[in-house]
Amino acid sequence: MKLNHVFHDASVNFRKISIKTWVVGILLGLASTMVIYAFAYTIREVFRVMSFSFVRIPEILSDQDRWWSNLLFASLSLVFGNGIMVNFLLSKPQKVFSRRNLKRSRILTDQIFLSFNFAYWALRMGFMLGASLMTFLTFEQISVFLKVSLLLPLVFFLDSWKTISQVLGRKGYKWMGGHSLFLVMLSLILCKWEVINYNKIDKQMLYLNPIVELPQSFYYEEDHFIDGSLELQFKIVYDENGEVIIQNTMGTRFTLEEVTAEVLAFKSRTRSELIPFTSVTISANRHIDLHYIKSLEAQVIWAGIHRFNYELGEDNYQYQLFDRKFIRKRSYKEMEGIKFSQNQPHIPPLFDESSIQYTDTLQIYLSKTHYLFNNTPVQREKLVAILKPFINSETLIQYKCEKDVSYQNYIDVLSAHYKAAFQLREQKQTVFKQHRYDKSNAYKEEQEKLRTIYPLLIDEFFITSDNK
């Protein structure tokens, strides 16, 4: 019994710890907490910037989501910092004949950042949370995810107290309750600390690639039809002052007069045999006047590129992270009613639209507020049904546009026209694709025949004093 008394001591007395040790331990815990919090905060911002560089869409956290994310980082940091503090308080040099304290050893083991008995599932959960946070960072469900994630610091906290509560007995639960409330208060204070000026990062990302409120459409094609190496993209959006700006994917801004030079520079970097397959993607705000879009197209056509991809969107712009949608269109002449001055020589198109023969014309009137067909107002949902009977090889469909018509109104009519034509072709189709990249000769030949029967004969012009 005497030998056991010398070498075994089941008690832990926090009162024997000196004030100096307490002060150093608390400062060490707070410093560790701030370092861990700053590290987690920085990692989140790094992932935001990295993701922006990959998909070219800024990831802007709302104030609410940012607060919940900061609270998660703060609580985890405080639990880890608290463990480092307790470890420091109870760790001291051991002599050969010192009394062995099993419970103190167990407490120290519980406070280790990742002990062996805890590391396996904690690392698995950490990887899962990290991957989920990086993948779903911009989705609306992130708020729910962050709230549920607050259970993780609670688990860490309870795990660190499982032996301390046994040592303190019944009083341990009171100490644990008070300690938990104190950590919650510190978490609420720490989560207000913004380590990095995120407003400056958000502003820079939005400047380099602003979020575009893309038009919605009846019809679309997926982006696997577009070769990214032969694609030149322009964004047309409103800047912070409400002015219309043109911007490429590198964040460089242009005036309308500078677009032609940019297109010619792009063509100079492209192999000559691939130039006919080069396309220009237009990502424009749905509320911008169509006149501005067509003015840009005129500059591109003048430079000798005639393939255009109108990028389409959904109500939630975040779908663009995974799926891009387009309407592809070829234009061989600038829209009538567009006036611009150009010093560069005009590059003639490979195809002359005047060679198209037709015997009848159909006019659709587009204004900022409504569509007119035979001087009768038409609802947007009925455009497909109205256009379908007139899609044939003998009828030219003219878009007669007011100067202030919006880009969205134009896309409404154009997409309805495309959808009506493709529905007619599908009714006659007998050869189908086996997969999305199937381009068999039989399929190509039938599609060429169907395009001849149901062509997209479109003429566009703005209403002026000369063509009213």
Side-chain angles (χ1 to χ4, degrees):
M1 293 294 293
K2 187 175 182 180
L3 186 65
N4 184 53
H5 178 71
V6 172
F7 286 94
H8 180 74
D9 186 2
S11 63
V12 176
N13 192 348
F14 287 96
R15 295 180 180 178
K16 293 183 178 180
I17 302 174
S18 64
I19 296 177
K20 180 180 178 181
T21 304
W22 273 107
V23 172
V24 174
I26 292 174
L27 292 177
L28 179 62
L30 289 175
S32 303
T33 297
M34 296 179 70
V35 169
I36 296 172
Y37 175 81
F39 175 77
Y41 190 104
T42 305
I43 288 295
R44 182 189 64 194
E45 296 304 310
V46 168
F47 276 131
R48 283 208 309 134
V49 176
M50 287 174 59
S51 178
F52 165 64
S53 64
F54 290 146
V55 299
R56 303 197 303 254
I57 298 178
E59 295 191 0
I60 308 299
L61 282 175
S62 66
D63 292 339
Q64 181 183 11
D65 291 343
R66 180 173 292 278
W67 186 84
W68 282 108
S69 179
N70 289 355
L71 183 62
L72 174 62
F73 294 154
S75 3
L76 283 172
S77 303
L78 280 165
V79 171
F80 292 146
N82 177 74
I84 294 172
M85 181 194 71
V86 174
N87 204 338
F88 174 81
L89 293 177
L90 298 182
S91 295
K92 60 182 180 179
Q94 298 289 319
K95 296 181 180 179
V96 176
F97 294 101
S98 296
R99 294 185 179 183
R100 187 175 174 222
N101 192 323
L102 296 178
K103 288 191 175 181
R104 185 177 67 181
S105 300
R106 286 178 60 186
I107 292 175
L108 293 176
T109 301
D110 293 341
Q111 306 306 319
I112 293 176
F113 192 79
L114 282 177
S115 57
F116 273 115
N117 62 338
F118 194 63
Y120 179 70
W121 72 270
L123 281 174
R124 289 185 62 187
M125 181 175 292
F127 282 126
M128 180 194 69
L129 291 172
S132 300
L133 185 61
M134 185 172 59
T135 305
F136 299 103
L137 190 61
T138 58
F139 282 86
E140 296 176 357
Q141 293 83 358
I142 186 65
S143 298
V144 179
F145 172 78
L146 289 172
K147 293 172 185 176
V148 175
S149 300
L150 288 174
L151 294 174
L152 183 62
L154 177 62
V155 171
F156 278 108
F157 176 76
L158 294 177
D159 183 76
S160 67
W161 263 86
K162 62 185 180 184
T163 304
I164 297 179
S165 60
Q166 296 177 7
V167 172
L168 298 178
R170 294 181 179 179
K171 293 182 179 180
Y173 295 105
K174 295 181 181 179
W175 281 101
M176 184 172 64
H179 189 200
S180 62
L181 289 176
F182 181 69
L183 290 182
V184 168
M185 292 175 59
L186 287 180
S187 299
L188 294 174
I189 295 174
L190 184 60
C191 72
K192 296 181 179 180
W193 179 32
E194 303 295 346
V195 181
I196 298 174
N197 187 352
Y198 69 90
N199 287 319
K200 189 175 181 180
I201 296 176
D202 291 348
K203 185 177 180 180
Q204 182 66 13
M205 288 197 297
L206 289 172
Y207 177 85
L208 291 174
N209 233 325
I211 297 173
V212 183
E213 191 178 354
L214 296 170
Q216 298 183 14
S217 170
F218 295 105
Y219 167 86
Y220 67 88
E221 298 177 65
E222 296 176 347
D223 61 347
H224 64 269
F225 290 105
I226 300 174
D227 187 347
S229 63
L230 300 176
E231 176 195 9
L232 178 61
Q233 183 176 3
F234 289 108
K235 282 190 173 184
I236 308 177
V237 294
Y238 293 108
D239 65 4
E240 57 276 5
N241 299 320
E243 300 293 332
V244 178
I245 59 171
I246 303 173
Q247 194 168 305
N248 63 10
T249 54
M250 301 301 295
T252 306
R253 297 187 174 185
F254 305 93
T255 63
L256 272 174
E257 292 73 21
E258 296 171 334
V259 169
T260 301
E262 173 68 11
V263 175
L264 292 174
F266 181 81
K267 289 175 65 177
S268 68
R269 301 190 297 266
T270 306
R271 291 165 52 184
S272 57
E273 65 270 21
L274 298 177
I275 289 177
F277 304 100
T278 302
S279 63
V280 170
T281 296
I282 297 178
S283 304
N285 188 297
R286 68 178 70 174
H287 303 296
I288 287 179
D289 289 347
L290 179 64
H291 189 272
Y292 206 93
I293 309 293
K294 291 301 177 179
S295 297
L296 181 140
E297 283 189 20
Q299 299 285 340
V300 175
I301 293 171
W302 194 269
I305 292 182
H306 306 279
R307 293 171 177 254
F308 295 93
N309 311 309
Y310 301 128
E311 188 168 5
L312 307 171
E314 303 285 347
D315 289 333
N316 192 334
Y317 80 94
Q318 294 161 351
Y319 286 105
Q320 300 171 54
L321 292 169
F322 308 100
D323 188 20
R324 297 179 70 194
K325 300 176 181 179
F326 302 89
I327 290 181
R328 295 186 298 164
K329 185 177 180 293
R330 297 188 186 187
S331 298
Y332 294 96
K333 66 176 183 178
E334 58 270 14
M335 191 169 175
E336 185 179 342
I338 296 292
K339 296 180 180 180
F340 67 98
S341 59
Q342 184 54 256
N343 297 324
Q344 299 286 346
H346 181 264
I347 300 177
L350 299 175
F351 175 75
D352 185 7
E353 285 188 332
S354 62
S355 61
I356 299 176
Q357 301 296 324
Y358 55 89
T359 58
D360 193 13
T361 59
L362 171 70
Q363 287 189 348
I364 298 179
Y365 177 83
L366 285 75
S367 74
K368 194 170 185 178
T369 57
H370 59 275
Y371 317 97
L372 290 180
F373 174 75
N374 287 337
N375 295 323
T376 303
V378 178
Q379 294 182 358
R380 178 178 181 272
E381 294 75 16
K382 296 181 179 180
L383 286 170
V384 176
I386 288 174
L387 288 168
K388 194 175 291 187
F390 299 94
I391 298 177
N392 53 62
S393 59
E394 298 179 352
T395 304
L396 176 68
I397 298 180
Q398 294 180 328
Y399 299 169
K400 197 173 181 180
C401 306
E402 290 280 1
K403 278 293 184 70
D404 61 348
V405 66
S406 70
Y407 182 45
Q408 177 64 68
N409 290 349
Y410 172 75
I411 291 295
D412 286 343
V413 176
L414 183 66
S415 62
H417 195 167
Y418 272 59
K419 185 174 182 179
F422 276 78
Q423 284 180 352
L424 290 171
R425 295 172 189 175
E426 286 180 350
Q427 293 174 4
K428 300 288 185 178
Q429 186 175 354
T430 58
V431 181
F432 298 90
K433 284 186 175 183
Q434 300 298 321
H435 51 82
R436 64 187 294 183
Y437 298 106
D438 182 17
K439 294 183 179 180
S440 62
N441 291 331
Y443 177 81
K444 288 182 179 179
E445 291 174 0
E446 185 182 56
Q447 288 299 311
E448 288 292 338
K449 182 180 179 180
L450 291 173
R451 279 193 287 267
T452 303
I453 299 173
Y454 303 109
L456 290 165
L457 302 180
I458 301 173
D459 186 25
E460 304 169 346
F461 59 90
F462 286 107
I463 299 174
T464 63
S465 57
D466 298 329
N467 58 20
K468 281 188 177 180

